[in-house]
Amino acid sequence: MAIIRNIIEDMRSRSQRVVVVEKEEKVLVGDGLRQSCWANMPQELLREVLLRIEASEDTWPPRKNVVACAGVCRNWRVITKEIVKKPELSAKITFPISVKQPGQRENLLQCFIKRNRSTQTYYLFLSLTSSLGDDGKFLLAARKSRRPTCTDYIISLDADDMSRGSNTYVGKLRSNFLGTKFTIYDGQPPHTGARFTKSRSTRLVNLKQVSPKVPTGNYPVAHISYELNVLGSRGPRRMHCVMDSIPSSSIEPGGVAPTQTEFSLNNIEMFPLFPFFRSKSNRVMENSLSGPLVGNQKDGLLVLKNKAPRWHEQLQCWCLNFHGRVTVASVKNFQLVASAENGTAGPEHDRIILQFGKVGKDLFTMDYRYPISAFQAFAICLSSFDTKIACE
């Protein structure tokens, strides 16, 4: 660990020489690190050092040393990214992009959500232990924003800055007026050929009222719908999730889901130029892009549905087996499995892909696995917090 201490001391001394220039001039952050003496370490020795560090650190907070190594210089960063495996293989969330990558295939990655009622904010943490009361590692934050016709949940990598104009913006969840249908939007393309949906934040970029580098793209990645309770009978919620960016074959042995490798700094050339004043035809086009998928549009896409609970005669309530991860009965609790809509039902359709449940007044567990990511799972769980008068 002496090497790590020397690296950190070297980084601190060089960071004091960082030059910050206002307005049109660029901010020269970390330029000195590229010329660091650590960048000249022989590749074979550097790889061996990073392999040992990666193998010795299994949990947070000690894992911060792996991140520190990636921040030394470009050579260290490239090799560290090669050594550190994706959550699918390592079951570890190391870099920010990990929240956009699918979880582990065999086991559920255990997380929890804390709710702050007064500020309408929600915080996602990675569980460090099997205990329901650990502090966890912060992953994502979301803030609820009510509008006349819908509700938005802005999702960010920063616990304090949750705005579309921030470079920590990850995506958003938007509901319809009744709170029965939701669309999850990613701030960057989830895969090649992803459909771009324009919104007010896009028009602000074209008007240059925010930084051109702010990732304000809107790419639909999932549509969530809650079944209307037209008869008014009390019972569990019924929900469907159509994952726009994940094929149904991803849950089969050898199946593959799209995996993002890095956050891109979007610029104005990436987006089509939309006029500020929209015609009726513009609005029709936008609705066709962002509306729920129907009919043949769902063919080949992964569809998730909530696992039907069973009625417990002695307890006189609906029950699901959360294996100790949920302790409080709530209409918000659910388990999602793959629907058999797109093919013959098999054992992979019985595997729980996402489960969410209450353990305290403002504390909820969230466990997910491949092929969905922490970001997608978090957004789906946020939809459960929204009030659904027409469903209950």
Side-chain angles (χ1 to χ4, degrees), residues 88-292:
E88 172 189 353
L89 303 174
S90 65
K92 301 173 184 176
I93 295 181
T94 303
F95 301 113
I97 192 59
S98 300
V99 301
K100 292 285 197 73
Q101 298 173 337
Q104 193 179 18
R105 284 185 181 266
E106 297 302 323
N107 301 310
L108 291 165
L109 272 174
Q110 296 183 343
C111 306
F112 61 91
I113 298 173
K114 289 184 178 180
R115 173 177 60 183
N116 187 325
R117 293 174 181 265
S118 61
T119 59
Q120 292 289 287
T121 52
Y122 305 83
Y123 304 94
L124 176 66
F125 296 85
L126 174 68
S127 297
L128 303 182
T129 66
S130 57
S131 172
L132 296 177
D134 65 19
D135 293 333
K137 166 64 182 175
F138 172 77
L139 298 179
L140 292 168
R143 175 167 294 154
K144 184 177 182 179
S145 175
R146 292 187 180 276
R147 300 180 181 276
T149 58
C150 64
T151 300
D152 281 351
Y153 292 82
I154 305 301
I155 303 174
S156 171
L157 291 168
D158 194 315
D160 300 315
D161 187 358
M162 285 169 276
S163 64
R164 293 185 185 88
S166 170
N167 57 6
T168 58
Y169 171 76
V170 174
K172 69 179 180 181
L173 174 74
R174 169 164 289 183
S175 77
N176 65 352
F177 178 73
L178 295 177
T180 57
K181 297 183 183 297
F182 296 80
T183 302
I184 301 174
Y185 295 96
D186 198 328
Q188 66 182 50
H191 57 83
T192 304
R195 299 174 305 146
F196 176 81
T197 299
K198 67 178 178 178
S199 68
R200 184 174 185 272
S201 58
T202 307
R203 296 194 299 274
L204 287 177
V205 171
N206 287 291
L207 289 173
K208 299 183 179 180
Q209 293 180 13
V210 296
S211 170
K213 289 188 177 182
V214 173
T216 52
N218 283 317
Y219 297 88
V221 294
H223 289 83
I224 309 165
S225 61
Y226 289 83
E227 189 172 323
L228 292 174
N229 186 1
V230 293
L231 299 179
S233 58
R234 295 186 63 82
R237 293 174 176 174
R238 283 174 286 187
M239 62 188 296
H240 271 72
C241 300
V242 181
M243 310 303 296
D244 299 15
S245 59
I246 303 177
S248 58
S249 60
S250 61
I251 63 171
E252 299 172 358
V256 177
T259 302
Q260 298 182 30
T261 56
E262 61 183 7
F263 284 106
S264 59
L265 289 176
N266 296 337
N267 54 50
I268 194 168
E269 286 77 15
M270 290 183 62
F271 305 113
L273 292 176
F274 296 119
F276 181 76
F277 296 104
R278 296 179 298 170
S279 65
K280 182 178 179 181
S281 60
N282 291 141
R283 292 193 297 269
V284 170
M285 180 187 70
E286 179 177 350
N287 291 334
S288 66
L289 287 175
S290 60

Side-chain angles (χ1 to χ4, degrees), residues 4-69:
I4 300 299
R5 285 195 295 269
N6 291 338
I7 294 171
I8 295 174
E9 291 176 1
D10 184 59
M11 291 174 65
R12 288 174 178 171
S13 63
R14 290 176 181 273
S15 64
Q16 294 176 358
R17 296 196 293 272
V18 171
V19 179
V20 179
V21 184
E22 296 182 354
K23 295 185 179 180
E24 297 182 356
E25 295 186 9
K26 295 183 178 179
V27 180
L28 305 177
V29 179
D31 184 65
L33 294 179
R34 298 194 188 99
Q35 307 302 322
S36 170
C37 60
W38 299 104
N40 298 321
M41 181 179 290
Q43 294 287 321
E44 296 79 6
L45 176 60
L46 173 57
R47 185 175 294 275
E48 182 64 25
V49 170
L50 295 178
L51 279 171
R52 290 175 181 268
I53 294 174
E54 163 68 8
S56 65
E57 301 193 358
D58 295 328
T59 60
W60 286 89
R63 196 161 178 76
K64 64 185 179 183
N65 290 330
V66 178
V67 180
C69 290

Side-chain angles (χ1 to χ4, degrees), residues 240 248 251 302-305 337-346 349:
H240 271 72
S248 58
I251 63 171
L302 177 64
V303 179
L304 305 178
K305 67 175 183 178
V337 296
S339 173
E341 291 183 15
N342 295 331
T344 305
H349 291 84

